[in-house]
Amino acid sequence: MVEQDRYCAELVLQIASAQAALNQASKLVLRAHVETCVSDVLVTGKANEPKQKIDELMQIFARYGCLGTVKG
């Protein structure tokens, strides 16, 4: 779009759409991670594994805390 000299507002809207799609994909991947990897470790993990997974999630939430909620 930049090379085609498209109107700036159109470009901004396309970027916002791409960001929204990536944000939704991140939510879905995070949900799958919690439902599989994290829950498995919490149920069957060794002594320190649950704490490590919780710490990992806290880092994710700290970095991407604005993810909001996901339907599903």
Coordinates of all heavy atoms in Angstrom, one line a residue:
M1 N 0.8 -1.2 0.0 CA 0.0 0.0 0.0 C 0.9 1.3 0.0 O 0.5 2.2 -0.6 CB -0.9 0.0 1.2 CG -2.0 -1.0 1.1 SD -3.2 -1.0 2.5 CE -4.2 0.4 2.1
V2 N 2.0 1.2 0.7 CA 2.9 2.4 0.7 C 3.5 2.6 -0.7 O 3.5 3.7 -1.2 CB 4.0 2.2 1.8 CG1 5.1 3.3 1.6 CG2 3.5 2.1 3.2
E3 N 3.9 1.5 -1.3 CA 4.5 1.6 -2.6 C 3.5 2.0 -3.6 O 3.8 2.6 -4.7 CB 5.1 0.2 -3.0 CG 6.3 -0.1 -2.2 CD 6.8 -1.5 -2.5 OE1 6.2 -2.3 -3.3 OE2 7.8 -1.9 -1.9
Q4 N 2.2 1.7 -3.4 CA 1.1 2.1 -4.3 C 0.7 3.6 -4.0 O -0.3 4.0 -4.7 CB 0.0 1.2 -4.2 CG 0.3 -0.2 -4.6 CD -0.8 -1.2 -4.2 OE1 -1.8 -0.9 -3.5 NE2 -0.7 -2.4 -4.7
D5 N 1.3 4.2 -3.1 CA 1.0 5.6 -2.7 C -0.5 5.7 -2.3 O -1.2 6.7 -2.7 CB 1.3 6.6 -3.8 CG 1.4 8.0 -3.3 OD1 1.8 8.2 -2.1 OD2 1.2 8.9 -4.1
R6 N -1.0 4.7 -1.5 CA -2.4 4.7 -1.0 C -2.5 5.8 0.0 O -1.6 6.2 0.7 CB -2.7 3.4 -0.5 CG -2.7 2.2 -1.4 CD -3.8 2.2 -2.5 NE -5.1 2.0 -1.9 CZ -5.7 0.8 -1.8 NH1 -5.1 -0.3 -2.3 NH2 -6.8 0.7 -1.3
Y7 N -3.7 6.2 0.3 CA -4.1 7.2 1.2 C -3.7 6.8 2.6 O -3.9 5.6 3.0 CB -5.6 7.5 1.2 CG -6.1 8.6 2.0 CD1 -5.5 9.9 1.9 CD2 -7.1 8.5 2.9 CE1 -6.0 11.0 2.6 CE2 -7.6 9.5 3.7 CZ -7.0 10.8 3.5 OH -7.5 11.8 4.3
C8 N -3.0 7.7 3.4 CA -2.5 7.3 4.7 C -3.5 6.7 5.6 O -3.2 5.7 6.4 CB -1.9 8.5 5.4 SG -0.5 9.2 4.5
A9 N -4.7 7.2 5.6 CA -5.8 6.7 6.5 C -6.1 5.3 6.2 O -6.3 4.5 7.1 CB -7.0 7.6 6.5
E10 N -6.1 4.9 4.9 CA -6.3 3.5 4.6 C -5.3 2.6 5.1 O -5.5 1.5 5.6 CB -6.4 3.4 3.0 CG -7.6 4.0 2.4 CD -7.5 3.8 0.9 OE1 -7.1 2.8 0.4 OE2 -7.8 4.8 0.2
L11 N -4.0 3.1 5.0 CA -2.9 2.3 5.5 C -3.0 2.1 7.0 O -2.8 1.0 7.5 CB -1.6 3.0 5.2 CG -0.3 2.3 5.6 CD1 -0.2 0.9 5.0 CD2 0.9 3.1 5.2
V12 N -3.3 3.1 7.8 CA -3.5 3.1 9.2 C -4.6 2.1 9.6 O -4.5 1.2 10.5 CB -3.8 4.4 9.8 CG1 -4.2 4.3 11.3 CG2 -2.6 5.3 9.7
L13 N -5.7 2.1 8.8 CA -6.8 1.1 9.1 C -6.4 -0.3 8.8 O -6.7 -1.2 9.6 CB -8.0 1.5 8.3 CG -8.8 2.8 8.7 CD1 -9.9 3.1 7.7 CD2 -9.3 2.6 10.1
Q14 N -5.6 -0.5 7.8 CA -5.1 -1.9 7.5 C -4.2 -2.4 8.6 O -4.2 -3.5 9.0 CB -4.4 -1.9 6.1 CG -5.4 -1.8 5.0 CD -6.3 -3.0 5.0 OE1 -5.9 -4.2 5.1 NE2 -7.6 -2.7 4.7
I15 N -3.3 -1.5 9.1 CA -2.4 -1.9 10.2 C -3.2 -2.2 11.4 O -2.9 -3.2 12.1 CB -1.4 -0.7 10.4 CG1 -0.4 -0.6 9.3 CG2 -0.6 -1.0 11.7 CD1 0.5 0.6 9.3
A16 N -4.2 -1.4 11.7 CA -5.0 -1.7 12.9 C -5.8 -3.0 12.8 O -5.9 -3.8 13.7 CB -6.1 -0.5 13.1
S17 N -6.2 -3.3 11.6 CA -6.9 -4.6 11.3 C -5.9 -5.8 11.5 O -6.3 -6.8 12.2 CB -7.5 -4.7 9.9 OG -8.5 -3.7 9.8
A18 N -4.7 -5.6 11.0 CA -3.7 -6.7 11.2 C -3.3 -6.9 12.7 O -3.2 -8.0 13.2 CB -2.5 -6.3 10.4
Q19 N -3.2 -5.8 13.4 CA -2.9 -5.8 14.8 C -4.0 -6.5 15.6 O -3.8 -7.4 16.5 CB -2.7 -4.5 15.4 CG -1.4 -3.8 15.0 CD -1.2 -2.4 15.4 OE1 -2.2 -1.6 15.5 NE2 0.0 -2.0 15.7
A20 N -5.3 -6.2 15.3 CA -6.4 -6.9 15.9 C -6.4 -8.4 15.7 O -6.7 -9.2 16.6 CB -7.7 -6.2 15.5
A21 N -6.1 -8.8 14.4 CA -6.1 -10.2 14.1 C -5.0 -10.9 14.8 O -5.2 -12.0 15.4 CB -5.9 -10.4 12.6
L22 N -3.8 -10.3 14.9 CA -2.7 -10.9 15.7 C -3.0 -11.0 17.2 O -2.7 -11.9 17.8 CB -1.4 -10.1 15.4 CG -0.8 -10.3 14.1 CD1 0.4 -9.3 13.9 CD2 -0.3 -11.7 13.9
N23 N -3.7 -10.0 17.7 CA -4.1 -10.0 19.1 C -5.0 -11.1 19.4 O -4.9 -11.8 20.4 CB -4.7 -8.6 19.4 CG -4.9 -8.4 20.9 OD1 -4.2 -9.0 21.7 ND2 -5.7 -7.5 21.3
Q24 N -6.0 -11.3 18.5 CA -6.9 -12.4 18.7 C -6.2 -13.8 18.6 O -6.5 -14.7 19.4 CB -8.1 -12.3 17.6 CG -9.2 -13.3 17.9 CD -9.9 -13.1 19.2 OE1 -9.9 -12.0 19.7 NE2 -10.6 -14.1 19.7
A25 N -5.3 -13.9 17.7 CA -4.5 -15.1 17.5 C -3.7 -15.4 18.8 O -3.6 -16.5 19.3 CB -3.6 -15.1 16.3
S26 N -3.1 -14.3 19.4 CA -2.4 -14.5 20.6 C -3.3 -15.0 21.8 O -2.9 -15.8 22.6 CB -1.8 -13.1 21.0 OG -0.8 -12.7 20.1
K27 N -4.5 -14.4 21.8 CA -5.4 -14.9 22.9 C -5.7 -16.4 22.7 O -5.8 -17.1 23.7 CB -6.7 -14.1 22.8 CG -6.6 -12.6 23.2 CD -7.9 -11.9 23.0 CE -7.8 -10.5 23.0 NZ -9.1 -9.8 22.7
L28 N -6.0 -16.8 21.5 CA -6.3 -18.2 21.3 C -5.1 -19.1 21.6 O -5.3 -20.2 22.2 CB -6.7 -18.4 19.8 CG -8.0 -17.7 19.5 CD1 -8.3 -17.8 17.9 CD2 -9.2 -18.3 20.2
V29 N -3.9 -18.7 21.3 CA -2.7 -19.5 21.6 C -2.5 -19.6 23.1 O -2.2 -20.6 23.6 CB -1.5 -19.0 20.8 CG1 -0.2 -19.7 21.3 CG2 -1.6 -19.2 19.3
L30 N -2.7 -18.4 23.7 CA -2.5 -18.4 25.2 C -3.5 -19.3 25.9 O -3.2 -20.0 26.8 CB -2.6 -17.0 25.7 CG -2.4 -16.8 27.2 CD1 -1.1 -17.3 27.7 CD2 -2.6 -15.3 27.6
R31 N -4.8 -19.2 25.4 CA -5.8 -20.1 26.0 C -5.5 -21.5 25.8 O -5.6 -22.3 26.8 CB -7.2 -19.8 25.4 CG -8.3 -20.6 26.0 CD -9.6 -20.3 25.3 NE -10.7 -21.0 26.0 CZ -11.4 -20.5 27.0 NH1 -11.2 -19.2 27.3 NH2 -12.3 -21.2 27.6
A32 N -5.0 -21.9 24.7 CA -4.6 -23.3 24.4 C -3.5 -23.7 25.3 O -3.4 -24.8 25.8 CB -4.3 -23.5 22.9
H33 N -2.5 -22.8 25.5 CA -1.4 -23.1 26.3 C -1.8 -23.4 27.8 O -1.3 -24.3 28.4 CB -0.4 -21.9 26.3 CG 0.8 -22.0 27.2 ND1 1.7 -23.0 27.1 CD2 1.2 -21.2 28.2 CE1 2.6 -22.9 28.0 NE2 2.3 -21.8 28.7
V34 N -2.7 -22.5 28.3 CA -3.2 -22.7 29.6 C -4.0 -24.0 29.8 O -3.8 -24.8 30.7 CB -4.0 -21.5 30.1 CG1 -4.8 -21.8 31.4 CG2 -3.2 -20.3 30.2
E35 N -4.8 -24.3 28.8 CA -5.7 -25.5 28.8 C -4.8 -26.8 28.7 O -5.3 -27.8 29.1 CB -6.7 -25.5 27.8 CG -7.8 -24.4 28.0 CD -8.8 -24.3 26.9 OE1 -8.5 -24.7 25.8 OE2 -9.9 -23.7 27.2
T36 N -3.7 -26.7 28.1 CA -2.9 -27.9 27.9 C -1.6 -27.9 28.7 O -1.6 -28.6 29.7 CB -2.6 -28.1 26.4 OG1 -1.9 -27.0 25.9 CG2 -3.8 -28.3 25.5
C37 N -0.6 -27.2 28.3 CA 0.7 -27.2 28.9 C 0.6 -26.8 30.4 O 1.2 -27.6 31.2 CB 1.6 -26.2 28.2 SG 1.8 -26.6 26.4
V38 N -0.1 -25.8 30.7 CA -0.1 -25.3 32.1 C -0.9 -26.3 33.0 O -0.5 -26.7 34.0 CB -0.6 -23.9 32.2 CG1 -0.8 -23.4 33.6 CG2 0.3 -22.9 31.4
S39 N -2.1 -26.6 32.5 CA -2.9 -27.5 33.3 C -2.3 -28.9 33.5 O -2.3 -29.5 34.6 CB -4.3 -27.7 32.7 OG -4.3 -28.4 31.5
D40 N -1.6 -29.4 32.5 CA -0.9 -30.7 32.7 C 0.2 -30.6 33.7 O 0.3 -31.5 34.6 CB -0.2 -31.1 31.3 CG -1.2 -31.6 30.3 OD1 -2.4 -31.8 30.7 OD2 -0.8 -31.7 29.1
V41 N 1.0 -29.5 33.7 CA 2.0 -29.3 34.8 C 1.4 -29.2 36.1 O 1.9 -29.7 37.1 CB 2.9 -28.1 34.4 CG1 3.8 -27.7 35.6 CG2 3.8 -28.5 33.2
L42 N 0.3 -28.4 36.2 CA -0.3 -28.2 37.6 C -0.8 -29.6 38.1 O -0.8 -29.8 39.3 CB -1.4 -27.2 37.5 CG -1.0 -25.8 37.2 CD1 -2.2 -24.9 37.0 CD2 0.0 -25.3 38.2
V43 N -1.3 -30.5 37.2 CA -1.8 -31.8 37.7 C -0.7 -32.8 37.9 O -0.7 -33.5 38.9 CB -2.8 -32.3 36.7 CG1 -3.2 -33.7 37.0 CG2 -4.0 -31.4 36.6
T44 N 0.3 -32.9 37.0 CA 1.3 -33.9 37.1 C 2.7 -33.5 37.2 O 3.6 -34.3 37.2 CB 1.2 -34.8 35.8 OG1 1.6 -33.9 34.7 CG2 -0.2 -35.4 35.5
G45 N 2.9 -32.2 37.4 CA 4.2 -31.6 37.4 C 5.0 -32.0 38.7 O 4.5 -32.4 39.7
K46 N 6.3 -31.9 38.5 CA 7.3 -32.2 39.6 C 7.3 -31.0 40.5 O 6.6 -30.0 40.3 CB 8.7 -32.4 39.0 CG 8.7 -33.7 38.2 CD 10.1 -33.9 37.6 CE 10.1 -35.2 36.8 NZ 10.0 -34.9 35.4
A47 N 8.0 -31.0 41.6 CA 8.0 -30.1 42.7 C 8.0 -28.6 42.2 O 7.2 -27.8 42.6 CB 9.1 -30.3 43.6
N48 N 8.9 -28.2 41.4 CA 9.1 -26.8 41.0 C 8.4 -26.4 39.7 O 8.3 -25.2 39.4 CB 10.6 -26.5 40.9 CG 10.8 -25.0 41.1 OD1 10.1 -24.3 41.8 ND2 11.9 -24.5 40.4
E49 N 7.9 -27.4 38.9 CA 7.3 -27.1 37.6 C 6.1 -26.2 37.7 O 5.9 -25.3 36.9 CB 7.0 -28.4 36.9 CG 8.3 -29.0 36.3 CD 7.9 -30.3 35.6 OE1 6.9 -31.0 36.0 OE2 8.7 -30.7 34.7
P50 N 5.1 -26.4 38.6 CA 4.0 -25.6 38.7 C 4.4 -24.1 38.9 O 3.8 -23.2 38.3 CB 3.1 -26.1 39.8 CG 3.5 -27.6 39.8 CD 5.0 -27.6 39.5
K51 N 5.3 -23.8 39.8 CA 5.7 -22.5 40.1 C 6.4 -21.9 38.8 O 6.1 -20.7 38.5 CB 6.7 -22.4 41.2 CG 7.2 -21.0 41.6 CD 8.3 -21.0 42.5 CE 8.8 -19.6 42.9 NZ 8.9 -18.6 41.8
Q52 N 7.1 -22.6 38.1 CA 7.7 -22.1 36.9 C 6.7 -21.7 35.8 O 6.8 -20.7 35.2 CB 8.7 -23.1 36.3 CG 10.0 -23.3 37.1 CD 10.8 -24.5 36.6 OE1 10.3 -25.4 35.9 NE2 12.1 -24.5 37.0
K53 N 5.7 -22.6 35.7 CA 4.6 -22.3 34.7 C 3.8 -21.0 35.2 O 3.4 -20.2 34.3 CB 3.6 -23.4 34.6 CG 4.2 -24.5 33.7 CD 4.4 -24.1 32.3 CE 5.0 -25.2 31.5 NZ 5.5 -24.7 30.2
I54 N 3.5 -20.9 36.5 CA 2.8 -19.7 37.0 C 3.7 -18.5 36.7 O 3.2 -17.4 36.3 CB 2.5 -19.9 38.4 CG1 1.4 -21.0 38.5 CG2 2.0 -18.5 39.0 CD1 1.1 -21.4 39.9
D55 N 5.0 -18.6 37.0 CA 5.9 -17.4 36.7 C 5.9 -17.1 35.3 O 5.9 -15.9 34.9 CB 7.3 -17.8 37.2 CG 7.5 -17.8 38.7 OD1 6.6 -17.4 39.4 OD2 8.5 -18.4 39.2
E56 N 5.9 -18.1 34.4 CA 5.8 -17.8 33.0 C 4.6 -17.1 32.6 O 4.6 -16.1 31.8 CB 5.9 -19.2 32.3 CG 5.8 -19.1 30.7 CD 5.7 -20.5 30.2 OE1 4.7 -21.2 30.2 OE2 6.8 -21.0 29.6
L57 N 3.4 -17.5 33.1 CA 2.2 -16.8 32.8 C 2.2 -15.4 33.3 O 1.7 -14.5 32.7 CB 1.0 -17.6 33.4 CG 0.6 -18.9 32.7 CD1 -0.5 -19.6 33.5 CD2 0.1 -18.6 31.3
M58 N 2.7 -15.2 34.5 CA 2.8 -13.9 35.1 C 3.6 -12.9 34.2 O 3.3 -11.8 34.0 CB 3.3 -13.9 36.5 CG 2.4 -14.6 37.5 SD 0.7 -14.0 37.5 CE 1.0 -12.3 38.2
Q59 N 4.7 -13.5 33.6 CA 5.5 -12.7 32.7 C 4.7 -12.3 31.4 O 4.8 -11.2 30.9 CB 6.8 -13.4 32.3 CG 7.8 -13.5 33.4 CD 9.0 -14.4 33.0 OE1 9.1 -14.9 31.9 NE2 10.0 -14.5 33.9
I60 N 4.0 -13.3 30.9 CA 3.1 -13.0 29.7 C 2.1 -12.0 30.0 O 1.9 -11.0 29.3 CB 2.5 -14.3 29.3 CG1 3.5 -15.3 28.7 CG2 1.4 -14.1 28.2 CD1 3.0 -16.7 28.4
F61 N 1.4 -12.1 31.2 CA 0.4 -11.1 31.6 C 1.0 -9.7 31.8 O 0.4 -8.7 31.4 CB -0.4 -11.6 32.8 CG -1.2 -12.8 32.6 CD1 -1.3 -13.7 33.6 CD2 -1.8 -13.1 31.4 CE1 -2.1 -14.9 33.5 CE2 -2.6 -14.2 31.2 CZ -2.7 -15.1 32.3
A62 N 2.2 -9.7 32.4 CA 2.8 -8.4 32.6 C 3.2 -7.7 31.3 O 3.0 -6.5 31.1 CB 4.1 -8.6 33.4
R63 N 3.6 -8.5 30.3 CA 4.0 -7.9 29.0 C 2.8 -7.6 28.1 O 2.8 -6.6 27.4 CB 4.9 -8.9 28.3 CG 5.4 -8.3 27.0 CD 6.6 -9.1 26.4 NE 7.0 -8.4 25.2 CZ 8.1 -8.6 24.6 NH1 9.0 -9.5 25.2 NH2 8.4 -8.0 23.5
Y64 N 1.8 -8.5 28.2 CA 0.7 -8.4 27.3 C -0.6 -8.2 28.1 O -1.7 -8.7 27.7 CB 0.6 -9.6 26.3 CG 1.8 -9.7 25.5 CD1 2.7 -10.7 25.8 CD2 2.0 -8.9 24.4 CE1 3.8 -10.9 25.0 CE2 3.2 -9.0 23.6 CZ 4.1 -10.1 23.9 OH 5.2 -10.2 23.2
G65 N -0.6 -7.6 29.2 CA -1.7 -7.4 30.1 C -3.0 -6.9 29.4 O -4.1 -7.0 29.9
C66 N -2.8 -6.2 28.3 CA -4.0 -5.6 27.7 C -4.7 -6.5 26.7 O -5.5 -6.1 25.9 CB -3.5 -4.3 26.9 SG -2.3 -4.7 25.6
L67 N -4.4 -7.8 26.8 CA -5.1 -8.8 25.9 C -6.6 -8.9 26.1 O -7.3 -9.2 25.1 CB -4.5 -10.2 26.0 CG -3.1 -10.4 25.5 CD1 -2.6 -11.8 25.8 CD2 -3.0 -10.1 24.0
G68 N -7.1 -8.5 27.2 CA -8.5 -8.6 27.5 C -9.0 -10.1 27.5 O -8.2 -10.9 27.9
T69 N -10.2 -10.3 27.2 CA -10.8 -11.6 27.3 C -11.0 -12.2 25.9 O -11.1 -11.5 24.9 CB -12.2 -11.6 28.0 OG1 -13.0 -10.7 27.3 CG2 -12.0 -11.1 29.5
V70 N -11.1 -13.5 25.9 CA -11.3 -14.2 24.6 C -12.6 -15.0 24.8 O -12.8 -15.7 25.8 CB -10.1 -15.1 24.2 CG1 -9.9 -16.2 25.2 CG2 -10.3 -15.6 22.8
K71 N -13.4 -15.1 23.7 CA -14.6 -15.9 23.7 C -14.2 -17.3 23.4 O -13.4 -17.5 22.5 CB -15.6 -15.3 22.7 CG -16.1 -14.0 23.1 CD -17.0 -13.4 22.0 CE -17.3 -12.0 22.4 NZ -17.7 -11.2 21.2
G72 N -14.8 -18.2 24.0 CA -14.5 -19.6 23.7 C -14.7 -20.5 24.8 O -14.7 -21.4 25.2

